[in-house]
Amino acid sequence: METSLLVVTCCRSLRVTGAGTMFHFWGRYEAGGMENPGYCAGSFDHLHHPSDDDDDDDEMVDIAGATLDFSSTDDVPPLSTGGYEENSSNSSSSSSSSRAAGMNGNGPKLVDPLEDPLPGVGTYEDFNTIDWVREKSKDRDRHREITNKSRQSTVALLHSVSDAFSGWLLMLLVGLMSGALAGGIDIAAHWLTDMKGGVCLIGFWFNHEHCCWTSNETTFQERDRCPQWQSWAELITGTSEGAFAYIVNYLMYIFWALLFAFLAVTLVRAFAPYACGSGIPEIKTILSGFIIRGYLGKWTLIIKTITLVLAVSSGLSLGKEGPLVHVACCCANILCHLFTKYRKNEAKRREVLSAAAAVGVSVAFGAPIGGVLFSLEEVSYYFPLKTLWRSFFAALVAAFTLRSINPFGNSRLVLFYVEFHAPWHLVELAPFILLGIFGGLWGALFIRANIAWCRRRKTTRLGHYPVIEVLVVAALTAVVAYPNSYTRMSGAELISELFNDCSLLDSSQLCGYKQPTNTSETGAGNSLADRPAGEGLYTALWQLALALVFKMLITVITFGMKVPSGLFIPSMAVGAIAGRLLGVGMEQLAYYNHDWFIFKGWCSPGADCITPGLYAMVGAAACLGGVTRMTVSLVVIMFELTGGLEYIVPLMAATMTSKWVADAFGREGIYEAHIRLNGYPFLEPKEEFEHSSLAVDVMRPRRVDPALAVLTQDGMTIGEVETLVESTHYSGFPVVVSQESQRLVGFVLRRDLLISIDNARKRQDGVVSASRVVFTEHSPSQPPDAPPPLRLRGIMDLSPFTVTDHTPMDITVDIFRKLGLRQCLVTHNGRLLGIITKKDILKHMAQIANRDPDSILFN
């Protein structure tokens, strides 16, 4: 991931005029986002007026499967609602000159947006993209001002110190809040999951394990049975044996599953539609610079936390790990409002959100380092070194908080923590690579099937009935899952069972081997040597094979429903089942054929040669890598789960094989596929642009289009500007010397223009529709009886990025990616020809890939 935005923002005054100057921008920086000048934005209610090139006027927005009306209110106020401290589109030179020209002769005082900051100027509407360069310039100016003042007084020095420390304090709060919420979610989900099977008589708030902790009447063979815990059949019928008791337990299991699923989908639909889904595709889009107000708000956090517990407890084939990233980002966004420099700067806020994504994975898997690498590799668009350090600190705090809560009672951060001690051998690399091939094939198949199902949900009547869909899937899952003990248990418990390395104390069916006839077949310590499979193991293998087919099918239709749904646990469960099956097969092959040349020398009779649990772990990593295309972060996460350095090579081999196989069928991971399905304006940094088109082929206006709408620097009145704005739906306008010359002067955003005109009519005497709008440094001469002009040079971007009409598009796309541009102007010999927006690029790339260009829904 490229890093250093500051290198680029220092070159703000540089104008790109072709490929020859491109070397100035190859700093280590990558950011995302842009606001498309082609979208329709009214002065304050643009969301009610779709643009000309958008979808139908009555189009609703579908984010993570939640169909929303633009008119809905959000719970995160726009930036700078109480005043705007710094104007962000000007250099210091233009600032001083504009203040000097603040009066026009002896006339009334002119309102200068530089001298009198206007509320709302420089902020962003919902469903738009931030200007990374402007935001970083604002922060640099703010920091420079604080540094200069710190030399003047002790109070200012203390303020400078507190400003520098505020980032670390914010990371501390994010880690504490996220760790506490994750611990609560783990405890509540474990309790409600057990409630489907019975209730604790000494306290209904105890889960099964905690209920039986204090019991002195448990036996070794039936450790999960105690008088204090009774199944629903025992409570209703008085017995736990027989067909009738089984049916009662079966029906109660279905009842609780349907109740939890119904509550989850109802709460999401009624209070926070943004709380559904995984949240990672939207987090990636937001981190690239896009604004979705309310997606990280307080209501989303509250409802997602509650419904995540309900969805996981319902038994649906989903996990809580992905949504925990969304929960952590909600915490970070809410806490950002406590600190001015993060509340008023969208780029700085995204640095915090990148760290919060690391926190989410840290508390999900108990893997702080893996969380930092996950944010760097998979989620973040812009990840400077400072964010790396703060992510590490926040992940550490979150992991420590979760460890203090100890939600599972085993002093571990996850339910399926395991430790393997047997070494692996070079021969085993072949089955590990086979698991990687399986994971890649499964990942590619799952992505295609899930995207096809989600597209069907969006385009048919199925999407109009989210509650019914969730209830049907929950009922189907409960009915099919209950008879099989491996599908009845939760995903985390299943993975823990599959990762487990059999020992003398295990009574699991997966450890149903024939008992050793002599002590020579007992391995060192508590582990056992390879043994022949017994009847219990064969039964378990059949059940696992059926569970594998069921998990593969049901996960396709579950992911993407209107409930919080993560994909990590279901993917890992599929891989762990396949790995355990292969591991047992290898174990039996080695036991019965230890004299084969591939086993000679390292697998002698009575030795513990094969560890099936290790195969399950490698399979889990392979399938998760095939679905998400994670590599480095995935290996580190699995390493932190197992605590063994010696298994890194098998994990790396399986993960890379999985990625290569999956990439052969399509380079998109599941999150990128959902971003494209939802039409988010996201320029994938991993995707190469290989077409040989030029900037003139992509820019607007095209030859058949009307001329580009522009403003002149001093030749238009307020009435003419308002007429131009009302007759078009663009979010910004180039400023030229005159209509005849088309020499470029700067660029003005529609929102800033309308706010400034509206404010001038209220605060400046004599401003009427006939007043001239001036973008020059000095006001032009005009008749004595003319109304005073309106000077708007302060809101104009004096250094818009430009390329020539013959700039190759691959270079233009790289400029957009690395500078996070909202738009780029196209010139020929200094004359303005047109404009390229991020949406234009995405549409062009969709056409090249033979996709529908109108699938890009957002501006």
Side-chain angles (χ1 to χ4, degrees):
M1 178 66 62
E2 280 101 349
T3 54
S4 175
L5 180 59
L6 295 178
V7 174
V8 177
T9 54
C10 293
C11 306
R12 177 134 174 82
S13 61
L14 178 64
R15 182 168 298 169
V16 185
T17 57
T21 58
M22 192 55 212
F23 66 89
H24 290 288
F25 298 99
W26 289 110
R28 289 180 54 79
Y29 156 74
E30 187 151 341
M34 193 245 31
E35 184 177 15
N36 181 2
Y39 90 110
C40 168
S43 57
F44 301 101
D45 57 346
H46 79 281
L47 294 178
H48 301 284
H49 304 283
S51 69
D52 293 334
D53 56 353
D54 266 351
D55 296 284
D56 296 335
D57 291 352
D58 58 352
E59 180 76 20
M60 308 288 275
V61 174
D62 190 347
I63 297 182
T67 303
L68 301 176
D69 191 345
F70 281 154
S71 61
S72 63
T73 59
D74 59 83
D75 50 9
V76 181
L79 296 181
S80 307
T81 51
Y84 194 72
E85 296 180 351
E86 304 163 88
N87 190 280
S88 53
S89 1
N90 299 273
S91 63
S92 57
S93 60
S94 65
S95 173
S96 58
S97 61
S98 298
R99 290 192 187 95
M103 300 292 289
N104 181 21
N106 298 323
K109 182 182 185 301
L110 302 182
V111 176
D112 189 341
L114 275 175
E115 186 175 315
D116 302 298
L118 305 179
V121 171
T123 61
Y124 306 98
E125 295 279 8
D126 201 4
F127 300 109
N128 287 314
T129 311
I130 69 171
D131 186 336
W132 284 91
V133 177
R134 182 169 71 172
E135 294 298 306
K136 295 304 292 185
S137 178
K138 280 169 49 180
D139 182 65
R140 190 174 60 252
D141 293 341
R142 183 196 61 82
H143 186 266
R144 186 185 298 117
E145 181 181 357
I146 291 177
T147 303
N148 293 336
K149 288 183 178 180
S150 67
R151 303 188 183 99
Q152 301 173 3
S153 67
T154 305
V155 175
L157 178 63
L158 292 176
H159 179 257
S160 174
V161 173
S162 66
D163 180 78
F165 181 70
S166 62
W168 296 100
L169 177 60
L170 178 56
M171 291 297 102
L172 175 68
L173 296 177
V174 171
L176 291 172
M177 186 174 179
S178 302
L181 283 177
I185 289 172
D186 287 335
I187 294 172
H190 201 176
W191 170 59
L192 289 182
T193 300
D194 287 349
M195 185 177 285
K196 292 186 297 182
V199 68
C200 186
L201 299 181
I202 60 176
F204 72 92
W205 54 88
F206 289 117
N207 62 35
H208 194 168
E209 185 179 6
H210 291 171
C211 187
C212 294
W213 266 358
T214 58
S215 175
N216 296 322
E217 303 175 48
T218 56
T219 63
F220 176 74
Q221 293 296 331
E222 297 181 341
R223 278 169 283 179
D224 58 343
R225 288 199 168 204
C226 64
Q228 290 82 3
W229 179 270
Q230 290 195 355
S231 66
W232 295 109
E234 290 177 287
L235 286 174
I236 297 173
T237 66
T239 179
S240 61
E241 306 295 334
F244 184 65
Y246 181 84
I247 293 174
V248 170
N249 284 330
Y250 200 162
L251 293 177
M252 290 301 296
Y253 181 91
I254 297 173
F255 166 76
W256 286 111
L258 288 175
L259 177 63
F260 294 155
F262 176 75
L263 289 175
V265 68
T266 303
L267 288 172
V268 166
R269 194 179 184 205
F271 296 103
Y274 284 155
C276 68
S278 166
I280 293 181
E282 287 73 25
I283 296 297
K284 290 189 67 170
T285 307
I286 290 172
L287 289 179
S288 75
F290 197 56
I291 292 177
I292 309 176
R293 297 209 184 279
Y295 196 83
L296 302 176
K298 57 182 179 297
W299 273 110
T300 304
L301 174 63
I302 294 170
I303 298 302
K304 186 123 189 177
T305 302
I306 296 172
T307 55
L308 180 56
V309 173
L310 294 169
V312 171
S313 304
S314 68
L316 289 167
S317 182
L318 47 83
K320 61 180 181 295
E321 283 65 23
L324 278 176
V325 175
H326 188 186
V327 168
C329 287
C330 287
C331 296
N333 184 66
I334 292 169
L335 292 171
C336 277
H337 287 79
L338 302 177
F339 301 88
T340 303
K341 75 174 181 179
Y342 295 106
R343 182 176 69 250
K344 294 189 174 183
N345 192 296
E346 292 284 2
K348 296 291 292 181
R349 189 184 302 185
R350 274 151 182 76
E351 294 180 17
V352 178
L353 295 180
S354 293
V359 170
V361 174
S362 173
V363 295
F365 289 102
I369 301 175
V372 174
L373 292 176
F374 171 81
S375 179
L376 174 63
E377 176 186 6
E378 186 65 23
V379 178
S380 296
Y381 213 87
Y382 165 56
F383 204 84
L385 191 60
K386 179 172 58 178
T387 302
L388 178 69
W389 300 333
R390 290 180 176 173
S391 300
F392 184 81
F393 174 69
L396 167 69
V397 172
F400 174 78
T401 304
L402 188 61
R403 172 64 180 81
S404 302
I405 296 173
N406 193 16
F408 301 109
N410 58 0
S411 299
R412 303 296 184 188
L413 301 183
V414 289
L415 188 60
F416 44 87
Y417 182 91
V418 290
E419 286 185 358
F420 299 127
H421 303 288
W424 65 278
H425 301 274
L426 191 61
V427 174
E428 294 181 276
L429 206 56
F432 292 151
I433 291 176
L434 280 178
L435 286 174
I437 294 174
F438 171 79
L441 292 173
W442 150 248
L445 175 65
F446 173 80
I447 291 172
R448 293 196 177 189
N450 180 252
I451 293 299
W453 180 260
C454 291
R455 184 173 288 112
R456 181 177 180 83
R457 180 188 291 129
K458 290 168 69 74
T459 57
T460 63
R461 295 178 61 85
L462 177 65
H464 298 162
Y465 305 100
V467 177
I468 295 177
E469 181 192 9
V470 170
L471 291 178
V472 169
V473 174
L476 177 64
T477 303
V479 169
V480 178
Y482 186 83
N484 189 336
S485 60
Y486 293 108
T487 52
R488 186 191 315 165
M489 64 179 66
S490 69
E493 289 175 330
L494 173 61
I495 294 173
S496 177
E497 183 89 358
L498 295 169
F499 281 9
N500 182 44
D501 187 17
C502 288
S503 64
L504 284 169
L505 300 177
D506 277 312
S507 58
S508 167
Q509 271 193 315
L510 284 173
C511 299
Y513 296 92
K514 293 178 180 178
Q515 294 303 315
T517 57
N518 56 68
T519 56
S520 65
E521 293 187 27
T522 303
N526 195 35
S527 63
L528 291 175
D530 291 346
R531 297 164 290 162
E535 184 179 344
L537 181 57
Y538 283 123
T539 303
L541 294 181
W542 276 110
Q543 289 180 333
L544 281 179
L546 294 175
L548 177 62
V549 175
F550 172 70
K551 286 282 186 183
M552 291 174 69
L553 295 177
I554 201 68
T555 306
V556 170
I557 62 175
T558 302
F559 185 69
M561 292 196 307
K562 305 296 191 295
V563 291
S565 55
L567 194 58
F568 283 23
I569 289 297
S571 300
M572 291 177 66
V574 169
I577 294 173
R580 188 78 186 204
L581 293 173
L582 181 61
V584 173
M586 285 291 296
E587 182 185 45
Q588 297 304 301
L589 186 67
Y591 179 82
Y592 287 109
N593 304 280
H594 55 78
D595 55 342
W596 284 10
F597 74 96
I598 60 173
F599 297 119
K600 274 187 178 180
W602 65 276
C603 189
S604 57
D608 184 13
C609 306
I610 306 294
T611 307
L614 174 60
Y615 284 73
M617 185 187 72
V618 172
C623 280
L624 184 55
V627 171
T628 64
R629 311 299 161 85
M630 294 160 54
T631 52
V632 180
S633 56
L634 177 58
V635 171
V636 174
I637 288 172
M638 300 304 294
F639 153 65
E640 291 186 85
L641 283 178
T642 58
L645 276 169
E646 57 186 317
Y647 304 114
I648 283 185
V649 172
L651 288 171
M652 291 175 67
T655 303
M656 282 309 304
T657 304
S658 172
K659 177 175 172 55
W660 287 336
V661 172
D663 282 348
F665 295 92
R667 300 186 64 86
E668 284 184 332
I670 185 65
Y671 301 129
E672 290 79 18
H674 274 270
I675 286 174
R676 182 165 57 83
L677 176 69
N678 292 325
Y680 298 145
F682 182 78
L683 269 177
E684 175 56 54
K686 304 170 189 174
E687 186 177 352
E688 296 292 333
F689 186 89
E690 299 175 349
H691 201 263
S692 59
S693 52
L694 302 176
V696 71
D697 302 323
V698 181
M699 74 173 192
R700 289 181 298 155
R702 308 288 169 80
R703 289 185 175 89
V704 296
D705 294 338
L708 187 66
V710 297
L711 302 174
T712 58
Q713 63 177 0
D714 57 8
M716 299 180 69
T717 64
I718 290 181
E720 291 171 339
V721 171
E722 289 177 329
T723 300
L724 176 64
V725 171
E726 291 172 0
S727 62
T728 59
H729 300 298
Y730 307 130
S731 67
F733 301 92
V735 179
V736 296
V737 174
S738 66
Q739 293 285 357
E740 294 75 22
S741 72
Q742 291 290 307
R743 298 288 177 181
L744 184 63
V745 177
F747 191 86
V748 176
L749 293 178
R750 176 196 188 98
R751 176 180 171 85
D752 294 352
L753 187 64
L754 289 173
I755 291 176
S756 299
I757 293 176
D758 182 68
N759 188 79
R761 288 185 183 275
K762 297 175 182 177
R763 296 174 56 187
Q764 182 174 332
D765 296 333
V767 172
V768 293
S769 296
S771 299
R772 183 176 296 184
V773 177
V774 177
F775 293 100
T776 55
E777 190 169 348
H778 302 286
S779 299
S781 59
Q782 53 182 3
D785 56 345
L790 175 61
R791 298 188 63 255
L792 295 182
R793 185 179 177 83
I795 65 171
M796 182 174 63
D797 182 359
L798 296 173
S799 53
F801 287 95
T802 63
V803 296
T804 68
D805 51 342
H806 292 292
T807 304
M809 273 307 297
D810 56 344
I811 294 180
T812 306
V813 170
D814 275 333
I815 292 175
F816 269 86
R817 283 175 177 157
K818 297 180 184 301
L819 301 187
L821 297 185
R822 295 143 56 107
Q823 68 277 319
C824 183
L825 301 176
V826 182
T827 62
H828 176 74
N829 293 337
R831 297 183 71 251
L832 179 65
L833 287 185
I835 188 170
I836 297 176
T837 68
K838 189 176 185 181
K839 188 172 182 180
D840 295 330
I841 291 178
L842 289 169
K843 284 191 171 187
H844 183 67
M845 295 173 72
Q847 286 178 325
I848 293 173
N850 295 321
R851 299 196 304 264
D852 180 15
D854 291 329
S855 62
I856 311 301
L857 300 178
F858 290 101
N859 293 298

